[in-house]
Amino acid sequence: MNILLVDDDLVDREIVKRAISRHISPEKLIEVNTAQEGLDALELDSFDIVLLDYMMPNLNGLEMMKVLRSRPKLGNAAIVMMSASGDEKLALKCLQAGAQDFLPKDEISASKLTRAIFQAQKRFELESKLFESYCRVREMAETDSLTGLSNRYHFERSLNTAVRQNTRGKSSLALLLLDLDHFKNINDTFGHELGDELLQEVVKKIAACLRGEEVFARLGGDEFAIVLSDLGHARDADLVARRIVKALEQPVSVREFKLQTGVSIGIALHPDNADSSKELVRFADIAMYQAKHLGRNQFCFFQDIMQQQFSRTFQIELELKKATKEKDFELHFQPVLAGKDQELTGFEALIRWPSCTHKCTPDEFIPMAEQSLLINEIGNWVLDTALETLARWQQNYHPELTMAVNLSARQLEDENLLDVIKGTLKKHQIEARHLTLEITETALLDDNSNTKKTIDQLDVLGCKLALDDFGTGYSSLSHLVNYPIAIVKLDKSMLPTDPSHARHMAIVRGMSVMSHIVGLKVIAEGVENAFQFSLCKDLSIAEFQGYFFGKPLSGKDIEAVWFGSKQASVKLNH
Ligand code: C2E
Ligand code: CA
Ligand code: CA
């Protein structure tokens, strides 16, 4: 047994040594007379037991014990604290701080000291085991098993500590939030196992861009966070981000594949951008979305302007949720006219949100509704209201009027859509052929298995499918072949505004010729002037829509303008 005796009092040391020698013959017994010497001795040598005087000049016994207990393996020695005072409170304090036993000096006898030493040793053994398993559990709870990085829980704690320690004004702390680009695609295409391997490779690449002392965590999925502390300047964060983006520009080798991902990084600085760690995360997240938005594989520093944009979006989203619940929307209807004689054939239903405090247009709030999944509920309301209106107009004015309703990609992914449409048609006793469903090409690109199924079933049901905004996106002819599309809506940007736009003219002409050959109906949208009108007429385009004939109007206004007594016949001549 190796014993270290730490006591500044020579007489006391002699008493202790004598007591020990009665029953124990230690292999080594070292005595020192200050706490600092004791700590040094413990660094150089290993001891089973430390007999530690409480009252010493400079560092006292309790303080020395605290230093020891913060070392790995709790300093690896049992401690018996000794004090001239037998104060119960002091004894408790010492035990709580990590001593295994406490002996008042006036009670020291050979047998008591021997018992204290052996019991302390036993206790320390047990406590060490407990501490070890605690450390193991903590490590498991704090690391991500796939990558070995810190997990979200540990990241949050570390960030809090880093923010607290980052004294204002002195240096900067940067939070980098990373999100891999196209990871979902790779995961879906190659499977999760390969996706996991890719994550591990990516982590290696990112780690190679770091010094090693930074907090580097996996927050979940393909999201990571890095905390850079003690930055002299924000430029340093810029350098690290640049290095990471560059490292991931090259394809990553996983098994026999070379996979191209990329990373979008958002950076927020403490204290420059935010005071609290919560805000810091939020701002880095906003910057990360901005980086994605700017075209991926790049990084973006948070700027206040983003916060303004973000809070506007946030407010609108809240309002939109409420409006959806209360069905606080209106429908406007834009007339669709036959090309050959400008007879009214039907309408396109377009949603309006008049109570929105930010005066949002559908182009702004529909994408938000798509993101927050409110679109299904909104879409159902549009469908119901549009068909209810159509039923009334068919009865009162003309039984062959049609209604076009816009569907978003998300709605097509929804397995209930077919039943909702069937049910709504039935509710208002509308024939399916009088309902046109307008979808955009991006909905077809989503490659959701339900989308194709739903589109085919809608076709079988008898609804007409229209490809909206044709000419703006991919304009892939394969979509016209692979999907039961009956109508192509030429986007308003495709219509030339005057005859000098030769390319536009040629494309519109080509489209119209091709559509006639394959039996597609073409509708020209956004016909705004007489030139465009006569052009479309010359090209025998089937139907027209646009401000030249009529702007979208409320149902009441449509009735007044289009079904008023003067135009009861519905037959219109421009
Ligand atoms: P869209 O489907 O391409 O609708 C045509 C847009 O062009 C409408 O804008 C319409 O008001 C506008 N427009 C009509 N004639 C002219 C014209 O002669 N000149 C010009 N410059 N514009 C014209 P709006 O109503 O603002 O709707 C914008 C987009 O929002 C729609 O584009 C559609 O994608 C979406 N949207 C509108 N209502 C709904 C809806 O109920 N559900 C879904 N999913 N999307 C909707
Ligand atoms: Ca449309
Ligand atoms: Ca359109």
Side-chain angles (χ1 to χ4, degrees), residues 248-272:
L248 290 178
E249 259 168 18
Q250 307 300 325
V252 182
S253 298
V254 180
R255 296 188 208 162
E256 68 270 36
F257 306 105
K258 286 209 172 304
L259 303 173
Q260 183 65 59
T261 98
V263 63
S264 299
I265 307 178
I267 308 170
L269 302 171
H270 178 273
D272 318 51

PDB file of all heavy atoms in Angstrom, residues 248-272:
ATOM      1  N   LEU A 248     -16.027  19.841 -50.032  1.00  0.00           N
ATOM      2  CA  LEU A 248     -17.177  19.042 -50.476  1.00  0.00           C
ATOM      3  C   LEU A 248     -17.592  19.340 -51.913  1.00  0.00           C
ATOM      4  O   LEU A 248     -18.601  18.835 -52.393  1.00  0.00           O
ATOM      5  CB  LEU A 248     -18.350  19.235 -49.515  1.00  0.00           C
ATOM      6  CG  LEU A 248     -18.098  18.586 -48.151  1.00  0.00           C
ATOM      7  CD1 LEU A 248     -19.241  18.842 -47.208  1.00  0.00           C
ATOM      8  CD2 LEU A 248     -17.874  17.090 -48.294  1.00  0.00           C
ATOM      9  N   GLU A 249     -16.809  20.175 -52.573  1.00  0.00           N
ATOM     10  CA  GLU A 249     -17.075  20.401 -53.998  1.00  0.00           C
ATOM     11  C   GLU A 249     -16.698  19.159 -54.790  1.00  0.00           C
ATOM     12  O   GLU A 249     -17.312  18.842 -55.800  1.00  0.00           O
ATOM     13  CB  GLU A 249     -16.221  21.574 -54.498  1.00  0.00           C
ATOM     14  CG  GLU A 249     -17.011  22.860 -54.616  1.00  0.00           C
ATOM     15  CD  GLU A 249     -16.111  24.063 -54.815  1.00  0.00           C
ATOM     16  OE1 GLU A 249     -14.932  23.889 -55.195  1.00  0.00           O
ATOM     17  OE2 GLU A 249     -16.590  25.181 -54.584  1.00  0.00           O
ATOM     18  N   GLN A 250     -15.669  18.462 -54.312  1.00  0.00           N
ATOM     19  CA  GLN A 250     -15.229  17.229 -54.982  1.00  0.00           C
ATOM     20  C   GLN A 250     -16.194  16.105 -54.610  1.00  0.00           C
ATOM     21  O   GLN A 250     -16.679  16.067 -53.492  1.00  0.00           O
ATOM     22  CB  GLN A 250     -13.827  16.836 -54.483  1.00  0.00           C
ATOM     23  CG  GLN A 250     -12.801  17.941 -54.591  1.00  0.00           C
ATOM     24  CD  GLN A 250     -12.615  18.404 -56.014  1.00  0.00           C
ATOM     25  OE1 GLN A 250     -12.693  17.609 -56.937  1.00  0.00           O
ATOM     26  NE2 GLN A 250     -12.411  19.701 -56.196  1.00  0.00           N
ATOM     27  N   PRO A 251     -16.437  15.176 -55.542  1.00  0.00           N
ATOM     28  CA  PRO A 251     -17.288  14.037 -55.192  1.00  0.00           C
ATOM     29  C   PRO A 251     -16.653  13.208 -54.072  1.00  0.00           C
ATOM     30  O   PRO A 251     -15.439  13.167 -53.949  1.00  0.00           O
ATOM     31  CB  PRO A 251     -17.349  13.223 -56.485  1.00  0.00           C
ATOM     32  CG  PRO A 251     -16.767  14.067 -57.542  1.00  0.00           C
ATOM     33  CD  PRO A 251     -15.955  15.142 -56.910  1.00  0.00           C
ATOM     34  N   VAL A 252     -17.514  12.585 -53.265  1.00  0.00           N
ATOM     35  CA  VAL A 252     -17.035  11.779 -52.150  1.00  0.00           C
ATOM     36  C   VAL A 252     -17.080  10.308 -52.575  1.00  0.00           C
ATOM     37  O   VAL A 252     -18.084   9.849 -53.116  1.00  0.00           O
ATOM     38  CB  VAL A 252     -17.946  11.986 -50.917  1.00  0.00           C
ATOM     39  CG1 VAL A 252     -17.425  11.198 -49.733  1.00  0.00           C
ATOM     40  CG2 VAL A 252     -18.053  13.465 -50.585  1.00  0.00           C
ATOM     41  N   SER A 253     -15.992   9.581 -52.332  1.00  0.00           N
ATOM     42  CA  SER A 253     -15.969   8.164 -52.726  1.00  0.00           C
ATOM     43  C   SER A 253     -16.571   7.305 -51.627  1.00  0.00           C
ATOM     44  O   SER A 253     -16.127   7.347 -50.489  1.00  0.00           O
ATOM     45  CB  SER A 253     -14.537   7.685 -52.961  1.00  0.00           C
ATOM     46  OG  SER A 253     -13.977   8.417 -54.007  1.00  0.00           O
ATOM     47  N   VAL A 254     -17.595   6.568 -51.994  1.00  0.00           N
ATOM     48  CA  VAL A 254     -18.186   5.599 -51.066  1.00  0.00           C
ATOM     49  C   VAL A 254     -18.368   4.309 -51.846  1.00  0.00           C
ATOM     50  O   VAL A 254     -19.021   4.297 -52.891  1.00  0.00           O
ATOM     51  CB  VAL A 254     -19.542   6.084 -50.542  1.00  0.00           C
ATOM     52  CG1 VAL A 254     -20.123   5.064 -49.586  1.00  0.00           C
ATOM     53  CG2 VAL A 254     -19.426   7.439 -49.882  1.00  0.00           C
ATOM     54  N   ARG A 255     -17.759   3.238 -51.347  1.00  0.00           N
ATOM     55  CA  ARG A 255     -17.703   1.968 -52.075  1.00  0.00           C
ATOM     56  C   ARG A 255     -17.255   2.245 -53.510  1.00  0.00           C
ATOM     57  O   ARG A 255     -16.288   2.949 -53.713  1.00  0.00           O
ATOM     58  CB  ARG A 255     -19.067   1.275 -52.069  1.00  0.00           C
ATOM     59  CG  ARG A 255     -19.504   0.895 -50.663  1.00  0.00           C
ATOM     60  CD  ARG A 255     -20.745   0.040 -50.701  1.00  0.00           C
ATOM     61  NE  ARG A 255     -21.506   0.217 -49.486  1.00  0.00           N
ATOM     62  CZ  ARG A 255     -22.774  -0.108 -49.370  1.00  0.00           C
ATOM     63  NH1 ARG A 255     -23.437  -0.623 -50.388  1.00  0.00           N
ATOM     64  NH2 ARG A 255     -23.406   0.073 -48.219  1.00  0.00           N
ATOM     65  N   GLU A 256     -18.025   1.734 -54.505  1.00  0.00           N
ATOM     66  CA  GLU A 256     -17.556   1.954 -55.876  1.00  0.00           C
ATOM     67  C   GLU A 256     -18.120   3.247 -56.474  1.00  0.00           C
ATOM     68  O   GLU A 256     -17.903   3.547 -57.640  1.00  0.00           O
ATOM     69  CB  GLU A 256     -17.919   0.758 -56.767  1.00  0.00           C
ATOM     70  CG  GLU A 256     -19.411   0.587 -57.022  1.00  0.00           C
ATOM     71  CD  GLU A 256     -20.085  -0.301 -55.972  1.00  0.00           C
ATOM     72  OE1 GLU A 256     -19.691  -0.232 -54.776  1.00  0.00           O
ATOM     73  OE2 GLU A 256     -21.007  -1.038 -56.340  1.00  0.00           O
ATOM     74  N   PHE A 257     -18.845   4.019 -55.649  1.00  0.00           N
ATOM     75  CA  PHE A 257     -19.491   5.215 -56.197  1.00  0.00           C
ATOM     76  C   PHE A 257     -18.715   6.493 -55.908  1.00  0.00           C
ATOM     77  O   PHE A 257     -18.017   6.590 -54.908  1.00  0.00           O
ATOM     78  CB  PHE A 257     -20.894   5.371 -55.604  1.00  0.00           C
ATOM     79  CG  PHE A 257     -21.743   4.160 -55.763  1.00  0.00           C
ATOM     80  CD1 PHE A 257     -21.999   3.324 -54.682  1.00  0.00           C
ATOM     81  CD2 PHE A 257     -22.291   3.833 -57.003  1.00  0.00           C
ATOM     82  CE1 PHE A 257     -22.779   2.193 -54.822  1.00  0.00           C
ATOM     83  CE2 PHE A 257     -23.075   2.706 -57.156  1.00  0.00           C
ATOM     84  CZ  PHE A 257     -23.319   1.880 -56.063  1.00  0.00           C
ATOM     85  N   LYS A 258     -18.897   7.442 -56.799  1.00  0.00           N
ATOM     86  CA  LYS A 258     -18.403   8.789 -56.515  1.00  0.00           C
ATOM     87  C   LYS A 258     -19.642   9.660 -56.376  1.00  0.00           C
ATOM     88  O   LYS A 258     -20.364   9.882 -57.343  1.00  0.00           O
ATOM     89  CB  LYS A 258     -17.532   9.291 -57.664  1.00  0.00           C
ATOM     90  CG  LYS A 258     -16.179   8.631 -57.697  1.00  0.00           C
ATOM     91  CD  LYS A 258     -15.141   9.578 -58.320  1.00  0.00           C
ATOM     92  CE  LYS A 258     -13.717   9.071 -58.222  1.00  0.00           C
ATOM     93  NZ  LYS A 258     -13.271   8.764 -56.881  1.00  0.00           N
ATOM     94  N   LEU A 259     -19.922  10.095 -55.151  1.00  0.00           N
ATOM     95  CA  LEU A 259     -21.178  10.789 -54.899  1.00  0.00           C
ATOM     96  C   LEU A 259     -20.951  12.289 -54.767  1.00  0.00           C
ATOM     97  O   LEU A 259     -20.063  12.740 -54.045  1.00  0.00           O
ATOM     98  CB  LEU A 259     -21.815  10.258 -53.613  1.00  0.00           C
ATOM     99  CG  LEU A 259     -22.073   8.745 -53.626  1.00  0.00           C
ATOM    100  CD1 LEU A 259     -22.546   8.279 -52.264  1.00  0.00           C
ATOM    101  CD2 LEU A 259     -23.102   8.406 -54.688  1.00  0.00           C
ATOM    102  N   GLN A 260     -21.756  13.023 -55.492  1.00  0.00           N
ATOM    103  CA  GLN A 260     -21.624  14.477 -55.448  1.00  0.00           C
ATOM    104  C   GLN A 260     -22.648  15.035 -54.457  1.00  0.00           C
ATOM    105  O   GLN A 260     -23.833  14.967 -54.690  1.00  0.00           O
ATOM    106  CB  GLN A 260     -21.877  15.043 -56.842  1.00  0.00           C
ATOM    107  CG  GLN A 260     -21.687  16.545 -56.924  1.00  0.00           C
ATOM    108  CD  GLN A 260     -20.234  16.940 -56.666  1.00  0.00           C
ATOM    109  OE1 GLN A 260     -19.338  16.510 -57.366  1.00  0.00           O
ATOM    110  NE2 GLN A 260     -20.005  17.751 -55.639  1.00  0.00           N
ATOM    111  N   THR A 261     -22.170  15.505 -53.334  1.00  0.00           N
ATOM    112  CA  THR A 261     -23.099  16.228 -52.464  1.00  0.00           C
ATOM    113  C   THR A 261     -22.577  17.655 -52.441  1.00  0.00           C
ATOM    114  O   THR A 261     -21.963  18.116 -53.374  1.00  0.00           O
ATOM    115  CB  THR A 261     -23.227  15.641 -51.038  1.00  0.00           C
ATOM    116  OG1 THR A 261     -22.409  16.369 -50.177  1.00  0.00           O
ATOM    117  CG2 THR A 261     -22.884  14.206 -50.981  1.00  0.00           C
ATOM    118  N   GLY A 262     -22.763  18.316 -51.406  1.00  0.00           N
ATOM    119  CA  GLY A 262     -22.320  19.687 -51.269  1.00  0.00           C
ATOM    120  C   GLY A 262     -22.864  20.095 -49.935  1.00  0.00           C
ATOM    121  O   GLY A 262     -23.592  19.308 -49.304  1.00  0.00           O
ATOM    122  N   VAL A 263     -22.504  21.290 -49.490  1.00  0.00           N
ATOM    123  CA  VAL A 263     -22.984  21.669 -48.179  1.00  0.00           C
ATOM    124  C   VAL A 263     -23.395  23.138 -48.183  1.00  0.00           C
ATOM    125  O   VAL A 263     -22.749  23.961 -48.831  1.00  0.00           O
ATOM    126  CB  VAL A 263     -21.899  21.374 -47.113  1.00  0.00           C
ATOM    127  CG1 VAL A 263     -20.648  22.195 -47.345  1.00  0.00           C
ATOM    128  CG2 VAL A 263     -22.414  21.583 -45.719  1.00  0.00           C
ATOM    129  N   SER A 264     -24.506  23.425 -47.511  1.00  0.00           N
ATOM    130  CA  SER A 264     -24.921  24.816 -47.339  1.00  0.00           C
ATOM    131  C   SER A 264     -24.662  25.190 -45.888  1.00  0.00           C
ATOM    132  O   SER A 264     -25.066  24.469 -44.981  1.00  0.00           O
ATOM    133  CB  SER A 264     -26.406  24.973 -47.663  1.00  0.00           C
ATOM    134  OG  SER A 264     -26.634  24.599 -48.997  1.00  0.00           O
ATOM    135  N   ILE A 265     -23.978  26.309 -45.696  1.00  0.00           N
ATOM    136  CA  ILE A 265     -23.579  26.690 -44.339  1.00  0.00           C
ATOM    137  C   ILE A 265     -24.149  28.061 -43.982  1.00  0.00           C
ATOM    138  O   ILE A 265     -24.030  29.010 -44.755  1.00  0.00           O
ATOM    139  CB  ILE A 265     -22.039  26.744 -44.209  1.00  0.00           C
ATOM    140  CG1 ILE A 265     -21.420  25.428 -44.689  1.00  0.00           C
ATOM    141  CG2 ILE A 265     -21.615  27.051 -42.782  1.00  0.00           C
ATOM    142  CD1 ILE A 265     -19.898  25.407 -44.645  1.00  0.00           C
ATOM    143  N   GLY A 266     -24.768  28.136 -42.810  1.00  0.00           N
ATOM    144  CA  GLY A 266     -25.221  29.425 -42.291  1.00  0.00           C
ATOM    145  C   GLY A 266     -24.362  29.784 -41.087  1.00  0.00           C
ATOM    146  O   GLY A 266     -24.071  28.937 -40.256  1.00  0.00           O
ATOM    147  N   ILE A 267     -23.942  31.054 -41.018  1.00  0.00           N
ATOM    148  CA  ILE A 267     -23.056  31.455 -39.919  1.00  0.00           C
ATOM    149  C   ILE A 267     -23.663  32.623 -39.144  1.00  0.00           C
ATOM    150  O   ILE A 267     -24.096  33.615 -39.735  1.00  0.00           O
ATOM    151  CB  ILE A 267     -21.683  31.901 -40.465  1.00  0.00           C
ATOM    152  CG1 ILE A 267     -21.111  30.823 -41.394  1.00  0.00           C
ATOM    153  CG2 ILE A 267     -20.710  32.198 -39.326  1.00  0.00           C
ATOM    154  CD1 ILE A 267     -19.888  31.264 -42.160  1.00  0.00           C
ATOM    155  N   ALA A 268     -23.703  32.492 -37.829  1.00  0.00           N
ATOM    156  CA  ALA A 268     -24.111  33.622 -36.986  1.00  0.00           C
ATOM    157  C   ALA A 268     -23.033  33.830 -35.932  1.00  0.00           C
ATOM    158  O   ALA A 268     -22.401  32.871 -35.482  1.00  0.00           O
ATOM    159  CB  ALA A 268     -25.455  33.336 -36.334  1.00  0.00           C
ATOM    160  N   LEU A 269     -22.824  35.099 -35.554  1.00  0.00           N
ATOM    161  CA  LEU A 269     -21.726  35.432 -34.647  1.00  0.00           C
ATOM    162  C   LEU A 269     -22.238  35.934 -33.305  1.00  0.00           C
ATOM    163  O   LEU A 269     -23.239  36.641 -33.233  1.00  0.00           O
ATOM    164  CB  LEU A 269     -20.859  36.537 -35.277  1.00  0.00           C
ATOM    165  CG  LEU A 269     -20.239  36.228 -36.635  1.00  0.00           C
ATOM    166  CD1 LEU A 269     -19.606  37.472 -37.220  1.00  0.00           C
ATOM    167  CD2 LEU A 269     -19.214  35.117 -36.511  1.00  0.00           C
ATOM    168  N   HIS A 270     -21.514  35.537 -32.278  1.00  0.00           N
ATOM    169  CA  HIS A 270     -21.769  36.039 -30.932  1.00  0.00           C
ATOM    170  C   HIS A 270     -20.576  36.892 -30.517  1.00  0.00           C
ATOM    171  O   HIS A 270     -19.449  36.448 -30.712  1.00  0.00           O
ATOM    172  CB  HIS A 270     -21.930  34.863 -29.960  1.00  0.00           C
ATOM    173  CG  HIS A 270     -22.137  35.289 -28.539  1.00  0.00           C
ATOM    174  ND1 HIS A 270     -21.100  35.551 -27.675  1.00  0.00           N
ATOM    175  CD2 HIS A 270     -23.270  35.532 -27.846  1.00  0.00           C
ATOM    176  CE1 HIS A 270     -21.589  35.921 -26.509  1.00  0.00           C
ATOM    177  NE2 HIS A 270     -22.898  35.919 -26.583  1.00  0.00           N
ATOM    178  N   PRO A 271     -20.724  38.089 -29.989  1.00  0.00           N
ATOM    179  CA  PRO A 271     -21.990  38.757 -29.669  1.00  0.00           C
ATOM    180  C   PRO A 271     -22.522  39.640 -30.808  1.00  0.00           C
ATOM    181  O   PRO A 271     -23.544  40.288 -30.641  1.00  0.00           O
ATOM    182  CB  PRO A 271     -21.583  39.638 -28.491  1.00  0.00           C
ATOM    183  CG  PRO A 271     -20.153  39.976 -28.756  1.00  0.00           C
ATOM    184  CD  PRO A 271     -19.556  38.839 -29.514  1.00  0.00           C
ATOM    185  N   ASP A 272     -21.862  39.649 -31.962  1.00  0.00           N
ATOM    186  CA  ASP A 272     -22.233  40.567 -33.043  1.00  0.00           C
ATOM    187  C   ASP A 272     -23.699  40.444 -33.471  1.00  0.00           C
ATOM    188  O   ASP A 272     -24.396  41.433 -33.628  1.00  0.00           O
ATOM    189  CB  ASP A 272     -21.350  40.351 -34.270  1.00  0.00           C
ATOM    190  CG  ASP A 272     -19.893  40.159 -33.885  1.00  0.00           C
ATOM    191  OD1 ASP A 272     -19.635  39.295 -33.010  1.00  0.00           O
ATOM    192  OD2 ASP A 272     -19.034  40.849 -34.427  1.00  0.00           O
TER     193      ASP A 272
END
